[in-house]
Amino acid sequence: MATTEEGRNWANQFTNPVTPEERAEIIRLHGEGKGRNEIARLVGRAQRTVTLICEEENLTFDRTATAVATEARKTDAKARRAAIIDRAYARVEKLLDRLDEADEGAFKFTASTVNGIETQSLDHVPGQEEKALSGAISAYLAQAVKLEQLDGDPGIEAARSMLGALAEGLNQMAGADRGEGDDSGEG
């Protein structure tokens, strides 16, 4: 493996060295504010090569665009999770509606018989069907809750718990100051 005197890995430099013109072009493109990936595409070199050359020249890349793109991806992912959560709850509602149909004698049950596949309306939900529907409902709800927790503030519950304990402690101290059984209302 080829290395420079600084110990950097330049494995491709002996078979395809960077020309002075390419180096100057990389520096020029950096000066125009182009990003590392774009420079690598424009000069036909690996991103690592661009990074190493810029490091040697004490040039850094503006990561503002990367930060903005990362925030945009996070926002998009949050919106997609919200849409999935809505769909999961809608599916749960449909399954619950299907179970409720039995109360009106309208639960549709499809089964294979000697005559082929037949659908019947029942006034009850067969055990296996109820078990399957309940399992699906549980799975949808569990996934929705997990997705909701990703976007929730994990510190809220801890803060509520702490505030509740604090309020309880203050109430106990106030009760001790008044004395047990003192109902005069004066402290």
Side-chain angles (χ1 to χ4, degrees), residues 134-161:
S134 296
I137 289 168
S138 294
Y140 286 129
L141 289 175
Q143 290 305 313
V145 167
K146 284 182 183 177
L147 289 173
E148 287 172 334
Q149 289 172 346
L150 287 175
D151 296 323
D153 184 352
I156 288 176
E157 286 306 314
R160 284 184 184 149
S161 177

PDB file of all heavy atoms in Angstrom, residues 134-161:
ATOM      1  N   SER A 134     -57.652  -9.867  16.496  1.00  0.00           N
ATOM      2  CA  SER A 134     -57.108  -9.257  17.717  1.00  0.00           C
ATOM      3  C   SER A 134     -55.591  -9.175  17.660  1.00  0.00           C
ATOM      4  O   SER A 134     -55.002  -8.176  18.082  1.00  0.00           O
ATOM      5  CB  SER A 134     -57.533 -10.058  18.947  1.00  0.00           C
ATOM      6  OG  SER A 134     -58.921 -10.008  19.093  1.00  0.00           O
ATOM      7  N   GLY A 135     -54.960 -10.209  17.122  1.00  0.00           N
ATOM      8  CA  GLY A 135     -53.499 -10.199  16.968  1.00  0.00           C
ATOM      9  C   GLY A 135     -53.052  -9.102  16.015  1.00  0.00           C
ATOM     10  O   GLY A 135     -52.066  -8.406  16.273  1.00  0.00           O
ATOM     11  N   ALA A 136     -53.792  -8.940  14.918  1.00  0.00           N
ATOM     12  CA  ALA A 136     -53.455  -7.886  13.962  1.00  0.00           C
ATOM     13  C   ALA A 136     -53.643  -6.514  14.591  1.00  0.00           C
ATOM     14  O   ALA A 136     -52.805  -5.619  14.425  1.00  0.00           O
ATOM     15  CB  ALA A 136     -54.316  -8.028  12.702  1.00  0.00           C
ATOM     16  N   ILE A 137     -54.723  -6.334  15.328  1.00  0.00           N
ATOM     17  CA  ILE A 137     -54.982  -5.057  16.007  1.00  0.00           C
ATOM     18  C   ILE A 137     -53.844  -4.751  16.980  1.00  0.00           C
ATOM     19  O   ILE A 137     -53.310  -3.641  17.003  1.00  0.00           O
ATOM     20  CB  ILE A 137     -56.340  -5.083  16.725  1.00  0.00           C
ATOM     21  CG1 ILE A 137     -57.472  -5.057  15.700  1.00  0.00           C
ATOM     22  CG2 ILE A 137     -56.473  -3.929  17.714  1.00  0.00           C
ATOM     23  CD1 ILE A 137     -58.839  -5.368  16.280  1.00  0.00           C
ATOM     24  N   SER A 138     -53.456  -5.737  17.763  1.00  0.00           N
ATOM     25  CA  SER A 138     -52.363  -5.545  18.730  1.00  0.00           C
ATOM     26  C   SER A 138     -51.068  -5.169  18.026  1.00  0.00           C
ATOM     27  O   SER A 138     -50.340  -4.284  18.486  1.00  0.00           O
ATOM     28  CB  SER A 138     -52.144  -6.810  19.548  1.00  0.00           C
ATOM     29  OG  SER A 138     -53.261  -7.065  20.350  1.00  0.00           O
ATOM     30  N   ALA A 139     -50.777  -5.831  16.918  1.00  0.00           N
ATOM     31  CA  ALA A 139     -49.533  -5.553  16.192  1.00  0.00           C
ATOM     32  C   ALA A 139     -49.541  -4.127  15.632  1.00  0.00           C
ATOM     33  O   ALA A 139     -48.545  -3.402  15.746  1.00  0.00           O
ATOM     34  CB  ALA A 139     -49.341  -6.567  15.069  1.00  0.00           C
ATOM     35  N   TYR A 140     -50.666  -3.719  15.026  1.00  0.00           N
ATOM     36  CA  TYR A 140     -50.751  -2.351  14.487  1.00  0.00           C
ATOM     37  C   TYR A 140     -50.600  -1.318  15.596  1.00  0.00           C
ATOM     38  O   TYR A 140     -49.904  -0.319  15.431  1.00  0.00           O
ATOM     39  CB  TYR A 140     -52.076  -2.125  13.758  1.00  0.00           C
ATOM     40  CG  TYR A 140     -52.172  -2.806  12.416  1.00  0.00           C
ATOM     41  CD1 TYR A 140     -53.264  -3.601  12.105  1.00  0.00           C
ATOM     42  CD2 TYR A 140     -51.195  -2.648  11.447  1.00  0.00           C
ATOM     43  CE1 TYR A 140     -53.378  -4.223  10.874  1.00  0.00           C
ATOM     44  CE2 TYR A 140     -51.292  -3.273  10.218  1.00  0.00           C
ATOM     45  CZ  TYR A 140     -52.386  -4.058   9.929  1.00  0.00           C
ATOM     46  OH  TYR A 140     -52.488  -4.663   8.714  1.00  0.00           O
ATOM     47  N   LEU A 141     -51.265  -1.542  16.711  1.00  0.00           N
ATOM     48  CA  LEU A 141     -51.181  -0.584  17.820  1.00  0.00           C
ATOM     49  C   LEU A 141     -49.765  -0.521  18.392  1.00  0.00           C
ATOM     50  O   LEU A 141     -49.261   0.561  18.692  1.00  0.00           O
ATOM     51  CB  LEU A 141     -52.186  -0.948  18.915  1.00  0.00           C
ATOM     52  CG  LEU A 141     -53.658  -0.710  18.562  1.00  0.00           C
ATOM     53  CD1 LEU A 141     -54.554  -1.227  19.673  1.00  0.00           C
ATOM     54  CD2 LEU A 141     -53.929   0.756  18.294  1.00  0.00           C
ATOM     55  N   ALA A 142     -49.123  -1.668  18.537  1.00  0.00           N
ATOM     56  CA  ALA A 142     -47.765  -1.699  19.083  1.00  0.00           C
ATOM     57  C   ALA A 142     -46.802  -0.936  18.170  1.00  0.00           C
ATOM     58  O   ALA A 142     -45.963  -0.163  18.655  1.00  0.00           O
ATOM     59  CB  ALA A 142     -47.294  -3.138  19.271  1.00  0.00           C
ATOM     60  N   GLN A 143     -46.931  -1.133  16.865  1.00  0.00           N
ATOM     61  CA  GLN A 143     -46.062  -0.428  15.932  1.00  0.00           C
ATOM     62  C   GLN A 143     -46.332   1.072  15.949  1.00  0.00           C
ATOM     63  O   GLN A 143     -45.408   1.879  15.890  1.00  0.00           O
ATOM     64  CB  GLN A 143     -46.210  -0.992  14.518  1.00  0.00           C
ATOM     65  CG  GLN A 143     -45.630  -2.376  14.356  1.00  0.00           C
ATOM     66  CD  GLN A 143     -44.170  -2.443  14.774  1.00  0.00           C
ATOM     67  OE1 GLN A 143     -43.363  -1.603  14.407  1.00  0.00           O
ATOM     68  NE2 GLN A 143     -43.828  -3.439  15.580  1.00  0.00           N
ATOM     69  N   ALA A 144     -47.605   1.450  16.030  1.00  0.00           N
ATOM     70  CA  ALA A 144     -47.953   2.873  16.076  1.00  0.00           C
ATOM     71  C   ALA A 144     -47.350   3.526  17.322  1.00  0.00           C
ATOM     72  O   ALA A 144     -46.785   4.619  17.253  1.00  0.00           O
ATOM     73  CB  ALA A 144     -49.468   3.056  16.052  1.00  0.00           C
ATOM     74  N   VAL A 145     -47.440   2.845  18.448  1.00  0.00           N
ATOM     75  CA  VAL A 145     -46.894   3.385  19.698  1.00  0.00           C
ATOM     76  C   VAL A 145     -45.379   3.532  19.594  1.00  0.00           C
ATOM     77  O   VAL A 145     -44.816   4.551  20.004  1.00  0.00           O
ATOM     78  CB  VAL A 145     -47.290   2.502  20.901  1.00  0.00           C
ATOM     79  CG1 VAL A 145     -46.485   2.840  22.136  1.00  0.00           C
ATOM     80  CG2 VAL A 145     -48.778   2.629  21.173  1.00  0.00           C
ATOM     81  N   LYS A 146     -44.695   2.543  19.013  1.00  0.00           N
ATOM     82  CA  LYS A 146     -43.244   2.630  18.859  1.00  0.00           C
ATOM     83  C   LYS A 146     -42.858   3.809  17.973  1.00  0.00           C
ATOM     84  O   LYS A 146     -41.907   4.533  18.270  1.00  0.00           O
ATOM     85  CB  LYS A 146     -42.685   1.334  18.260  1.00  0.00           C
ATOM     86  CG  LYS A 146     -42.606   0.195  19.241  1.00  0.00           C
ATOM     87  CD  LYS A 146     -42.009  -1.030  18.592  1.00  0.00           C
ATOM     88  CE  LYS A 146     -41.988  -2.190  19.560  1.00  0.00           C
ATOM     89  NZ  LYS A 146     -41.470  -3.406  18.926  1.00  0.00           N
ATOM     90  N   LEU A 147     -43.600   4.002  16.881  1.00  0.00           N
ATOM     91  CA  LEU A 147     -43.308   5.128  16.002  1.00  0.00           C
ATOM     92  C   LEU A 147     -43.590   6.463  16.693  1.00  0.00           C
ATOM     93  O   LEU A 147     -42.848   7.431  16.520  1.00  0.00           O
ATOM     94  CB  LEU A 147     -44.116   5.025  14.710  1.00  0.00           C
ATOM     95  CG  LEU A 147     -43.679   3.915  13.753  1.00  0.00           C
ATOM     96  CD1 LEU A 147     -44.662   3.792  12.592  1.00  0.00           C
ATOM     97  CD2 LEU A 147     -42.274   4.163  13.237  1.00  0.00           C
ATOM     98  N   GLU A 148     -44.659   6.517  17.488  1.00  0.00           N
ATOM     99  CA  GLU A 148     -44.968   7.746  18.219  1.00  0.00           C
ATOM    100  C   GLU A 148     -43.865   8.083  19.213  1.00  0.00           C
ATOM    101  O   GLU A 148     -43.534   9.246  19.430  1.00  0.00           O
ATOM    102  CB  GLU A 148     -46.309   7.619  18.944  1.00  0.00           C
ATOM    103  CG  GLU A 148     -47.496   7.674  18.012  1.00  0.00           C
ATOM    104  CD  GLU A 148     -48.811   7.359  18.698  1.00  0.00           C
ATOM    105  OE1 GLU A 148     -48.801   6.639  19.719  1.00  0.00           O
ATOM    106  OE2 GLU A 148     -49.844   7.826  18.203  1.00  0.00           O
ATOM    107  N   GLN A 149     -43.283   7.062  19.830  1.00  0.00           N
ATOM    108  CA  GLN A 149     -42.222   7.287  20.809  1.00  0.00           C
ATOM    109  C   GLN A 149     -40.967   7.865  20.161  1.00  0.00           C
ATOM    110  O   GLN A 149     -40.225   8.604  20.801  1.00  0.00           O
ATOM    111  CB  GLN A 149     -41.886   5.989  21.538  1.00  0.00           C
ATOM    112  CG  GLN A 149     -42.975   5.553  22.493  1.00  0.00           C
ATOM    113  CD  GLN A 149     -42.725   4.178  23.081  1.00  0.00           C
ATOM    114  OE1 GLN A 149     -41.882   3.426  22.602  1.00  0.00           O
ATOM    115  NE2 GLN A 149     -43.472   3.834  24.114  1.00  0.00           N
ATOM    116  N   LEU A 150     -40.729   7.550  18.875  1.00  0.00           N
ATOM    117  CA  LEU A 150     -39.561   8.100  18.186  1.00  0.00           C
ATOM    118  C   LEU A 150     -39.622   9.620  18.122  1.00  0.00           C
ATOM    119  O   LEU A 150     -38.603  10.293  18.201  1.00  0.00           O
ATOM    120  CB  LEU A 150     -39.473   7.552  16.758  1.00  0.00           C
ATOM    121  CG  LEU A 150     -39.041   6.111  16.606  1.00  0.00           C
ATOM    122  CD1 LEU A 150     -39.127   5.689  15.147  1.00  0.00           C
ATOM    123  CD2 LEU A 150     -37.640   5.911  17.138  1.00  0.00           C
ATOM    124  N   ASP A 151     -40.827  10.145  17.958  1.00  0.00           N
ATOM    125  CA  ASP A 151     -40.980  11.587  17.812  1.00  0.00           C
ATOM    126  C   ASP A 151     -41.392  12.275  19.094  1.00  0.00           C
ATOM    127  O   ASP A 151     -41.458  13.500  19.144  1.00  0.00           O
ATOM    128  CB  ASP A 151     -42.006  11.891  16.710  1.00  0.00           C
ATOM    129  CG  ASP A 151     -41.507  11.398  15.365  1.00  0.00           C
ATOM    130  OD1 ASP A 151     -40.302  11.494  15.115  1.00  0.00           O
ATOM    131  OD2 ASP A 151     -42.336  10.910  14.573  1.00  0.00           O
ATOM    132  N   GLY A 152     -41.671  11.506  20.135  1.00  0.00           N
ATOM    133  CA  GLY A 152     -42.048  12.093  21.410  1.00  0.00           C
ATOM    134  C   GLY A 152     -40.828  12.607  22.140  1.00  0.00           C
ATOM    135  O   GLY A 152     -39.692  12.304  21.812  1.00  0.00           O
ATOM    136  N   ASP A 153     -41.058  13.397  23.145  1.00  0.00           N
ATOM    137  CA  ASP A 153     -39.972  13.916  23.972  1.00  0.00           C
ATOM    138  C   ASP A 153     -39.777  12.964  25.146  1.00  0.00           C
ATOM    139  O   ASP A 153     -40.633  12.878  26.022  1.00  0.00           O
ATOM    140  CB  ASP A 153     -40.320  15.318  24.473  1.00  0.00           C
ATOM    141  CG  ASP A 153     -39.191  15.951  25.257  1.00  0.00           C
ATOM    142  OD1 ASP A 153     -38.197  15.254  25.542  1.00  0.00           O
ATOM    143  OD2 ASP A 153     -39.308  17.139  25.578  1.00  0.00           O
ATOM    144  N   PRO A 154     -38.656  12.223  25.165  1.00  0.00           N
ATOM    145  CA  PRO A 154     -38.457  11.244  26.238  1.00  0.00           C
ATOM    146  C   PRO A 154     -38.353  11.885  27.619  1.00  0.00           C
ATOM    147  O   PRO A 154     -38.563  11.236  28.624  1.00  0.00           O
ATOM    148  CB  PRO A 154     -37.150  10.548  25.860  1.00  0.00           C
ATOM    149  CG  PRO A 154     -36.453  11.497  24.954  1.00  0.00           C
ATOM    150  CD  PRO A 154     -37.524  12.300  24.268  1.00  0.00           C
ATOM    151  N   GLY A 155     -38.052  13.164  27.680  1.00  0.00           N
ATOM    152  CA  GLY A 155     -37.908  13.824  28.960  1.00  0.00           C
ATOM    153  C   GLY A 155     -39.220  14.259  29.580  1.00  0.00           C
ATOM    154  O   GLY A 155     -39.274  14.591  30.759  1.00  0.00           O
ATOM    155  N   ILE A 156     -40.303  14.254  28.803  1.00  0.00           N
ATOM    156  CA  ILE A 156     -41.590  14.731  29.316  1.00  0.00           C
ATOM    157  C   ILE A 156     -42.084  13.858  30.466  1.00  0.00           C
ATOM    158  O   ILE A 156     -42.477  14.377  31.510  1.00  0.00           O
ATOM    159  CB  ILE A 156     -42.638  14.796  28.193  1.00  0.00           C
ATOM    160  CG1 ILE A 156     -42.313  15.971  27.265  1.00  0.00           C
ATOM    161  CG2 ILE A 156     -44.044  14.944  28.746  1.00  0.00           C
ATOM    162  CD1 ILE A 156     -43.214  16.088  26.068  1.00  0.00           C
ATOM    163  N   GLU A 157     -42.063  12.556  30.288  1.00  0.00           N
ATOM    164  CA  GLU A 157     -42.545  11.664  31.344  1.00  0.00           C
ATOM    165  C   GLU A 157     -41.683  11.770  32.594  1.00  0.00           C
ATOM    166  O   GLU A 157     -42.194  11.779  33.708  1.00  0.00           O
ATOM    167  CB  GLU A 157     -42.618  10.215  30.842  1.00  0.00           C
ATOM    168  CG  GLU A 157     -43.769   9.952  29.899  1.00  0.00           C
ATOM    169  CD  GLU A 157     -45.123  10.366  30.460  1.00  0.00           C
ATOM    170  OE1 GLU A 157     -45.438  10.051  31.629  1.00  0.00           O
ATOM    171  OE2 GLU A 157     -45.881  11.029  29.730  1.00  0.00           O
ATOM    172  N   ALA A 158     -40.374  11.875  32.406  1.00  0.00           N
ATOM    173  CA  ALA A 158     -39.482  12.015  33.561  1.00  0.00           C
ATOM    174  C   ALA A 158     -39.780  13.325  34.293  1.00  0.00           C
ATOM    175  O   ALA A 158     -39.814  13.369  35.522  1.00  0.00           O
ATOM    176  CB  ALA A 158     -38.027  11.965  33.118  1.00  0.00           C
ATOM    177  N   ALA A 159     -40.020  14.395  33.525  1.00  0.00           N
ATOM    178  CA  ALA A 159     -40.324  15.690  34.141  1.00  0.00           C
ATOM    179  C   ALA A 159     -41.658  15.627  34.889  1.00  0.00           C
ATOM    180  O   ALA A 159     -41.775  16.144  35.998  1.00  0.00           O
ATOM    181  CB  ALA A 159     -40.371  16.783  33.076  1.00  0.00           C
ATOM    182  N   ARG A 160     -42.654  14.993  34.279  1.00  0.00           N
ATOM    183  CA  ARG A 160     -43.951  14.859  34.951  1.00  0.00           C
ATOM    184  C   ARG A 160     -43.805  14.081  36.251  1.00  0.00           C
ATOM    185  O   ARG A 160     -44.384  14.442  37.267  1.00  0.00           O
ATOM    186  CB  ARG A 160     -44.952  14.152  34.032  1.00  0.00           C
ATOM    187  CG  ARG A 160     -45.493  15.036  32.950  1.00  0.00           C
ATOM    188  CD  ARG A 160     -46.536  14.308  32.133  1.00  0.00           C
ATOM    189  NE  ARG A 160     -46.983  15.150  31.038  1.00  0.00           N
ATOM    190  CZ  ARG A 160     -47.386  14.710  29.877  1.00  0.00           C
ATOM    191  NH1 ARG A 160     -47.417  13.414  29.640  1.00  0.00           N
ATOM    192  NH2 ARG A 160     -47.776  15.535  28.937  1.00  0.00           N
ATOM    193  N   SER A 161     -43.030  13.005  36.190  1.00  0.00           N
ATOM    194  CA  SER A 161     -42.819  12.188  37.375  1.00  0.00           C
ATOM    195  C   SER A 161     -42.113  12.997  38.465  1.00  0.00           C
ATOM    196  O   SER A 161     -42.500  12.954  39.631  1.00  0.00           O
ATOM    197  CB  SER A 161     -41.988  10.961  37.004  1.00  0.00           C
ATOM    198  OG  SER A 161     -41.705  10.201  38.139  1.00  0.00           O
TER     199      SER A 161
END
